[in-house]
Amino acid sequence: MATWDKTKYTTLCEKCGKKFNVVKFEQPVREKGCFNCTGCGHEIERWNGGVDYTFTEAKD
């Protein structure tokens, strides 16, 4: 599967402040999913379209 674009950024959980590295992949197929904070369970991102995400805990 080919990806169109890749964007990297960091985000914080609005509830507990835990920091995550995010890679957003734009692609020609529809993906559906969500990511919840591994610290408190708060939903950080939900998607349903031509994107997919990977989240990893940021080590500062």
Side-chain angles (χ1 to χ4, degrees), residues 3-52:
T3 58
W4 289 337
D5 195 14
K6 179 169 56 170
T7 306
K8 295 180 181 183
Y9 60 93
T10 58
T11 190
L12 294 175
C13 175
E14 295 175 0
K15 189 171 180 183
C16 73
K18 196 168 197 172
K19 188 176 181 180
F20 294 92
N21 294 314
V22 183
V23 181
K24 176 183 176 183
F25 299 93
E26 293 183 32
Q27 51 195 16
V29 296
R30 186 176 198 95
E31 293 290 338
K32 181 178 180 181
C34 67
F35 178 76
N36 295 334
C37 177
T38 57
C40 69
H42 178 75
E43 185 176 285
I44 293 178
E45 185 71 57
R46 178 175 297 273
W47 58 96
N48 183 4
V51 295
D52 200 7

